[in-house]
Every structure is written in structure tokens, then in C-alpha cells.
Amino acid sequence: MAVIEVCDICRKEISKSNGITLDCSDWNGWDYPVGVPIRTERNYKVRICDKCKDNIIKYCKRNAR
């Protein structure tokens, strides 16, 4: 079974040599230890192609204060 990786921004297919993988986290996870919902940290990986990465870098350089 093959795994096809796609860019999380533009949804285009990414090869192993193209793009970067970022480790991210946020507090949008939920846990129910005793029946009461509690927010927990959610860890995941984001895959971004080189084209989107370059666009993000250009945007940040243009809008730096």
C-alpha cells in the first residue's frame, strides 16, 4: 500500500525530496478523564511544498515591521 503525501496548504502531491515537514501543536484536543471535558495539547505534523514555503517566506519579508 503506497502513501501519497499532499501539501496541507495547496493540496498538491509532494515527493520525498520536495517540501518540508513541520511539527505543530495546539490546545484544540479534548480529553474526558472523569466525564468532564478538558482541553489537552494536540501534536501533529504538517507537510508543506516548496512553492507554498517560498510564498510564505516572501509574504513574511514583505510584511515585516
Side-chain angles (χ1 to χ4, degrees), residues 7 11 17-19 26-29 32-34 41 44 47 50 54 58 60 62:
C7 177
R11 299 293 182 203
S17 62
N18 180 12
D26 60 18
W27 286 92
N28 289 337
Y32 299 92
V34 289
E41 186 176 20
Y44 51 94
R47 186 85 170 141
D50 285 337
D54 292 340
K58 286 178 192 174
C60 291
R62 243 183 322 179

Side-chain angles (χ1 to χ4, degrees), residues 12-30:
K12 290 184 181 177
E13 187 176 336
I14 304 175
S15 66
K16 291 283 186 184
S17 62
N18 180 12
I20 60 173
T21 303
L22 303 173
D23 291 327
C24 299
S25 65
D26 60 18
W27 286 92
N28 289 337
W30 290 96

Side-chain angles (χ1 to χ4, degrees), residues 29-48:
W30 290 96
D31 191 16
Y32 299 92
V34 289
V36 179
I38 298 174
R39 287 213 177 235
T40 58
E41 186 176 20
R42 178 176 68 163
N43 298 313
Y44 51 94
K45 294 186 182 215
V46 176
R47 186 85 170 141
I48 301 175

